Amino acid sequence: MEKIIAACGNDCMACPRYVAHPCEKTDEQLRHTAELWMKIGYRDHIVTNEEISCTGCKPENWCRYQVVKCCQDRGIKTCADCQEYPCDNMKECFQVTKSFEPKCREVCSEEEYLQLKRAFFEKEENLGRLLRRYGLLRENRENMNL
């Protein structure tokens, strides 16, 4: 499946919380995710399926780094579009996200860990790929205008 890259670089298609088409999840899958989030330390209790499910980032959603709001304010889709990328906020976001990786390796099955790796721990690489793609597109446009 193709990736759906969030503003911060997360891959929504790999996320166990993402329920938008074509990634619908069963009640059992969402419950498992809520339990996993507690084991990892993302939550201090098992939340409801409604609370754990996600249909994508919106500026009004809680985000520790306010990435979507920042992108909206700048009129861009992802941080890869930003002239200031990687800003201090995103550097901290990458660092904090990676700090959860050892706990995920410890408490997750191999399959769960790989899913979380694709969903969250590759955000910097995902944005880097977009940045290179955007850079090539810009370069091609500039060359065509010569």
Side-chain angles (χ1 to χ4, degrees):
M1 277 189 192
E2 189 163 325
K3 293 182 177 197
I4 297 174
I5 304 301
C8 69
N10 285 347
D11 179 356
C12 298
M13 292 293 283
C15 180
R17 300 180 57 214
Y18 189 69
V19 296
H21 181 75
C23 299
E24 293 85 0
K25 305 289 189 298
T26 65
D27 286 343
E28 184 178 316
Q29 288 171 311
L30 289 171
R31 176 69 180 190
H32 177 79
T33 299
E35 291 169 357
L36 185 61
W37 257 225
M38 191 180 82
K39 283 192 327 188
I40 293 167
Y42 291 164
R43 300 286 191 281
D44 62 359
H45 64 283
I46 297 173
V47 299
T48 66
N49 286 356
E50 185 177 277
E51 188 176 338
I52 201 73
S53 66
C54 176
T55 57
C57 295
K58 298 170 188 74
E60 61 272 14
N61 290 0
W62 182 86
C63 174
R64 176 176 289 131
Y65 303 100
Q66 297 295 308
V67 175
V68 174
K69 172 117 176 56
C70 181
C71 286
Q72 182 185 44
D73 290 348
R74 293 170 182 263
I76 57 178
K77 186 175 178 182
T78 72
C79 291
D81 295 315
C82 186
Q83 295 296 319
E84 296 178 34
Y85 176 79
C87 66
D88 289 341
N89 189 46
M90 283 309 298
K91 289 176 186 175
E92 181 182 353
C93 177
F94 297 147
Q95 182 180 18
V96 170
T97 299
K98 287 179 183 179
S99 74
F100 282 97
E101 194 168 9
K103 182 69 171 180
C104 289
R105 282 189 184 271
E106 177 187 323
V107 302
C108 294
S109 70
E110 183 67 15
E111 182 180 334
E112 291 166 338
Y113 169 74
L114 290 174
Q115 182 179 20
L116 297 179
K117 180 179 182 295
R118 285 189 308 272
F120 308 117
F121 302 135
E122 296 177 355
K123 65 176 66 198
E124 190 170 6
E125 293 85 350
N126 290 334
L127 289 173
R129 276 191 290 282
L130 288 177
L131 188 62
R132 287 188 295 280
R133 185 180 328 157
Y134 296 155
L136 289 174
L137 290 173
R138 286 185 197 114
E139 185 179 305
N140 287 341
R141 277 192 226 123
E142 289 170 6
N143 288 338
M144 290 174 69
N145 291 331
L146 292 178

